[in-house]
């Protein structure tokens, strides 16, 4: 509270004291008495202005009026100060300050630019509030802040209740880790080749809309894919491939594998509309087009949103709509703020990024769900890799499960919802069941295309296997027969080194997974998921360091072949 105390004292001690005799004199025998009333003047200060701070809104992308959307540590933060004039004429040239402390230690003070203090600041009017971006050093732990309006005391007020206190809690959330997989795409209808691009057009938008402190983007070596991505089935196959790459590269479950498909090579272009991407709901792998800077970010936010467990918001007639989405027409519901660009985003104009409409931003509903998922699934677990059978089941065009080649290797385990339809059984060489395991499943849906995947990571069995089968109840629906390891272990792979490429060959035709390590198997880069007898690897796609190739034939155990390479 501010007091203009010196001014008041001056008026008080310089005012005339009016003394008026209110009754006639009376004579008495002993004394003379005077009844007197003493009048003090009522001094009007002349102050008819009063300023207050009615509330604060602390936002990092979207916020509710009660500030219940959680704050993320180290994420850029805006405080909207709702200072208002509640009496008198709104004064101009007024500044607002924020002072912060953590554990009773002063962090500092920041001050806004000068402006008019309005009578009625509105959430819908960004210019009606004092908007201050917090320093990076304030964005962790529990921080006590005090907001003060008219910090320079330029306004004469008759009350001057100018402070507002708030406690901010910044939560520790793991960074978002994205591995971009450039796709070398051969477009079958024309035979045109579109080389994969190591371009990051997605992290800026993800930083602005996702509840994470940062977005770490890295690039994997390019992956070769041939097909027709105007067709939904080929999109599904590419999604399957990128999923397999994540598992066989030994990537952590917390990392998003993001297949990036080029649409042009010089003046040649293959994409003129249609499917732009697809991602698993609840498993961190997606594929999408490498569009313009303005379009790639929202597309990535949508597909990675699926990876975080989000279904579609109800606008644009998508499949797989989230029945619990709280706002009609996929409105973002609350006011968004693009903190890095200082822009207010109105719920009457912006829709949630999980819809098919635009312009898009993130709703508080989606933001909270992304936050919850990243707290759990964003952690890198040291026990993420398993040494065992990587069992994968795909859905064919008729919706039936088909068991894929089974590989015995160290890999990232698949996670998802437990399937109530299918399980997997291991058979010994006599056909007896020696193990039964539930399958996990995830779904992907976009307009005109859907995919389902089942999978499980099974510990390496102690007995020789004769096969693996998928069962519905007690009925086998898909099966693969195993080959004894001795058939492969006597084989010798051959590596031919040319000027621009390596030609790797081996004397059997079974589907073979080929991968390369430079850190003794801690991480891998997979070059082929089901090669048959030969593989050509461009040297530009090889790491510069010396390493080791691993050739793993399908449908067998203990038959891995290795080959050292000095690059």
């Amino acid at each position: 509270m501010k007091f203009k105390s010196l001014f008041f004292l001056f008026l008080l001690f310089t005012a005339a004291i009016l003394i008026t005799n209110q009754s006639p004199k009376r004579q008495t025998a002993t004394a003379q008495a005077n009844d007197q009333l003493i009048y003090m003047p009522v001094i009007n200060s002349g102050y008819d202005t009063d300023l207050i701070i009615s509330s604060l809104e602390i936002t990092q992308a979207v916020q509710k009026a009660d500030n219940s959307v959680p704050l993320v540590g180290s994420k850029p933060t805006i405080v909207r100060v709702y200072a208002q004039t509640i009496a008198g004429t709104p004064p101009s040239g007024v500044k607002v300050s924020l002072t912060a402390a953590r554990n009773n230690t002063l962090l500092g003070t920041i001050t806004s630019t000068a402006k008019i203090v309005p009578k009625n600041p509105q959430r819908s009017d960004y210019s009606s509030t004092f908007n201050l971006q917090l320093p990076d050093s304030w964005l962790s732990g529990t921080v006590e802040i005090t907001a003060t309006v008219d910090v320079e005391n330029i306004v004469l007020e008759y009350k001057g209740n100018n402070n507002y206190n708030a406690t901010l809690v910044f939560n520790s959330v793991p960074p978002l880790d994205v591995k971009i997989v450039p796709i070398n795409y051969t477009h079958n209808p024309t035979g045109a080749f579109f080389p994969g691009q190591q371009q990051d057009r997605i992290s800026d938008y993800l930083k602005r809309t996702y509840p994470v402190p940062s977005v770490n983007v890295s690039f994997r070596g390019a992956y070769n894919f041939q097909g027709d991505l105007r067709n939904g089935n080929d999109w599904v196959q590419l999604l399957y491939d990128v999923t397999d790459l994540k598992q066989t590269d030994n990537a952590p479950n917390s990392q998003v594998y993001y297949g990036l498909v080029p649409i042009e090579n010089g003046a040649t272009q293959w994409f003129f509309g249609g499917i732009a991407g697809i991602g698993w709901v609840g498993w961190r792998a997606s594929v999408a087009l490498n569009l313009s800077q303005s379009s790639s970010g929202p597309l990535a936010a949508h597909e990675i949103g699926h990876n975080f467990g989000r279904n579609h918001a109800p606008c644009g007639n998508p499949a797989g709509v989230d029945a619990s989405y709280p706002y009609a027409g996929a409105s973002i519901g609350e006011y968004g703020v693009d903190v890095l660009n200082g822009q207010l985003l109105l719920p009457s104009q912006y829709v949630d990024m999980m819809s098919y409409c635009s312009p898009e931003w993130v709703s508080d509903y989606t933001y909270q769900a992304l936050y919850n998922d990243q707290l759990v699934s964003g952690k890198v677990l040291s026990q993420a890799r398993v040494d065992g059978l990587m069992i994968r089941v795909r859905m064919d065009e008729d919706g039936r499960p088909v068991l894929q080649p089974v590989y015995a290797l160290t890999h990232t385990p698949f996670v998802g919802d437990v399937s109530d339809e299918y399980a997997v059984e291991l058979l010994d060489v006599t056909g007896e069941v020696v193990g039964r395991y539930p399958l996990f499943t995830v779904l992907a849906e976009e307009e005109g295309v859907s995919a389902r995947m089942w999978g499980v990571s099974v510990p390496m069995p102690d007995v020789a296997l004769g096969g693996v089968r998928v069962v519905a109840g007690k009925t086998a629906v898909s099966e693969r027969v195993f080959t004894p390891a001795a058939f492969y272990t006597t084989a010798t792979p051959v590596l031919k080194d040319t000027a621009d490429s390596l030609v790797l060959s081996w004397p059997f035709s079974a589907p073979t997974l080929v991968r390369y390590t430079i850190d003794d198997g801690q991480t891998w880069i997979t070059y082929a998921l089901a090669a048959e007898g030969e593989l050509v690897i461009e040297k530009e796609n090889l790491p510069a360091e010396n390493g080791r190739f691993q050739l793993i034939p399908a449908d067998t155990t203990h038959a891995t072949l290795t080959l050292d390479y000095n690059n």
Side-chain angles (χ1 to χ4, degrees):
M1 182 177 293
K2 298 182 299 183
F3 296 96
K4 311 307 191 273
S5 54
L6 292 177
F7 187 65
F8 272 111
L9 289 173
F10 174 78
L11 290 175
L12 181 63
F13 286 102
T14 58
I17 300 176
L18 301 179
I19 303 175
T20 305
N21 190 344
Q22 295 296 310
S23 59
K25 297 179 180 178
R26 292 192 305 162
Q27 299 290 330
T28 66
T30 59
Q32 177 177 311
N34 293 324
D35 292 331
Q36 296 177 333
L37 292 177
I38 300 175
Y39 291 89
M40 298 294 291
V42 176
I43 303 172
N44 189 336
S45 69
Y47 305 158
D48 62 354
T49 301
D50 195 18
L51 309 179
I52 65 166
I53 296 175
S54 59
S55 64
L56 304 180
E57 182 177 334
I58 301 93
T59 183
Q60 296 178 320
V62 65
Q63 187 56 270
K64 302 182 79 168
D66 61 1
N67 288 309
S68 58
V69 175
L71 300 177
V72 174
S74 299
K75 183 173 177 64
T77 304
I78 288 282
V79 175
R80 297 186 69 187
V81 180
Y82 287 80
Q84 64 183 111
T85 302
I86 60 172
T89 301
S92 61
V94 176
K95 296 180 181 179
V96 163
S97 70
L98 293 176
T99 299
R102 183 188 297 115
N103 297 327
N104 296 319
T105 299
L106 184 66
L107 297 177
T109 298
I110 58 174
T111 304
S112 72
T113 57
K115 59 190 290 185
I116 293 175
V117 181
K119 282 185 173 291
N120 190 21
Q122 298 290 317
R123 294 188 75 200
S124 59
D125 183 0
Y126 199 60
S127 65
S128 72
T129 55
F130 289 77
N131 309 309
L132 294 89
Q133 183 164 347
L134 301 186
D136 292 346
S137 60
W138 296 13
L139 305 180
S140 63
T142 300
V143 176
E144 306 290 341
I145 64 170
T146 298
T148 302
V149 62
D150 190 22
V151 66
E152 295 177 338
N153 290 336
I154 68 170
V155 180
L156 301 180
E157 301 177 65
Y158 68 83
K159 285 187 178 180
N161 184 16
N162 292 8
N163 294 338
Y164 193 100
N165 299 317
T167 300
L168 312 186
V169 178
F170 292 96
N171 300 280
S172 180
V173 178
L176 175 57
D177 186 10
V178 180
K179 176 80 76 175
I180 291 179
V181 183
I183 304 299
N184 288 331
Y185 174 51
T186 299
H187 188 56
N188 276 350
T190 63
F193 177 71
F194 299 86
Q197 299 158 324
Q198 288 200 358
Q199 293 180 333
D200 173 17
R201 294 174 173 172
I202 66 174
S203 62
D204 176 70
Y205 190 83
L206 293 173
K207 289 175 186 176
R208 290 186 281 136
T209 55
Y210 267 58
V212 293
S214 59
V215 179
N216 301 329
V217 170
S218 58
F219 293 92
R220 186 194 183 277
Y223 177 71
N224 297 325
F225 182 81
Q226 184 172 336
D228 181 2
L229 290 178
R230 299 174 305 175
N231 183 305
N233 291 331
D234 283 9
W235 274 102
V236 171
Q237 184 58 54
L238 180 57
L239 178 60
Y240 285 150
D241 287 358
V242 170
T243 302
D244 291 343
L245 293 179
K246 176 177 177 175
Q247 288 194 264
T248 58
D249 284 355
N250 283 3
N253 270 325
S254 57
Q255 186 176 59
V256 175
Y257 256 46
Y258 192 75
L260 191 63
V261 181
I263 64 171
E264 58 189 8
N265 184 5
T268 304
Q269 184 170 332
W270 69 268
F271 179 77
F272 300 96
I275 300 169
I278 187 170
W280 298 116
V281 177
W283 169 254
R284 295 190 173 197
S286 303
V287 290
L289 299 177
N290 188 20
L291 301 174
S292 65
Q293 183 73 39
S294 60
S295 298
S296 289
L299 176 59
H302 180 101
E303 300 305 342
I304 295 174
H306 287 315
N307 297 164
F308 276 54
R310 309 317 308 146
N311 286 309
H312 287 123
C315 185
N317 197 32
V321 171
D322 181 356
S324 298
Y325 192 83
Y327 307 118
S331 164
I332 60 174
E334 295 287 345
Y335 290 92
V337 173
D338 186 341
V339 172
L340 297 182
N341 292 325
Q343 179 186 3
L344 182 69
L345 308 167
L346 305 182
S348 60
Q349 298 176 2
Y350 281 78
V351 294
D352 190 82
M353 60 191 185
M354 297 309 300
S355 76
Y356 279 178
C357 298
S358 62
E360 59 276 284
W361 193 247
V362 61
S363 66
D364 65 293
Y365 174 80
T366 294
Y367 192 87
Q368 179 73 63
L370 297 174
Y371 172 88
N372 294 341
D373 189 78
Q374 183 66 0
L375 278 180
V376 176
S377 302
K379 297 177 181 177
V380 179
L381 302 178
S382 58
Q383 67 273 24
R385 295 177 297 160
V386 296
D387 186 16
L389 300 179
M390 188 178 82
I391 296 176
R392 305 159 300 144
V393 182
R394 311 297 195 223
M395 183 175 69
D396 68 11
E397 295 182 14
D398 297 321
R400 296 172 300 193
V402 178
L403 182 60
Q404 303 300 298
V406 177
Y407 294 110
L409 75 171
T410 302
H411 63 282
T412 299
F414 175 73
V415 294
D417 297 326
V418 176
S419 172
D420 57 4
E421 297 178 273
Y422 304 111
V424 65
E425 292 181 342
L426 308 186
L427 309 176
D428 66 13
V429 293
T430 68
E432 292 296 318
V433 176
V434 293
R436 181 184 173 100
Y437 299 88
L439 285 168
F440 300 98
T441 185
V442 290
L443 177 69
E445 286 186 292
E446 295 294 353
E447 184 179 7
V449 58
S450 65
R452 183 172 288 279
M453 167 182 166
W454 298 264
V456 67
S457 298
V458 174
M460 202 72 74
D462 295 328
V463 300
L465 291 182
V468 174
R469 67 187 181 191
V470 177
V471 295
K474 295 183 179 180
T475 303
V477 295
S478 186
E479 185 172 353
R480 296 191 72 89
V481 177
F482 271 37
T483 301
F487 181 81
Y488 302 105
T489 53
T490 57
T492 302
V494 176
L495 184 63
K496 182 180 179 181
D497 195 342
T498 69
D500 299 322
S501 63
L502 298 178
V503 180
L504 188 60
S505 59
W506 53 94
F508 50 83
S509 59
T512 301
L513 188 146
V514 180
R515 60 184 185 175
Y516 185 75
T517 182
I518 60 173
D519 55 14
D520 199 29
Q522 294 301 307
T523 59
W524 298 85
I525 180 167
T526 302
Y527 289 103
L529 296 166
E532 297 182 359
E534 184 177 276
L535 178 66
V536 178
I537 303 172
E538 300 298 327
K539 285 187 174 180
E540 64 182 10
N541 289 330
L542 276 172
E545 296 89 345
N546 298 335
R548 182 176 78 251
F549 282 103
Q550 198 175 63
L551 288 76
I552 307 166
D555 305 326
T556 189
T557 59
H558 308 292
T560 298
L561 306 177
T562 61
L563 188 65
D564 291 333
Y565 175 67
N566 296 323
N567 192 357

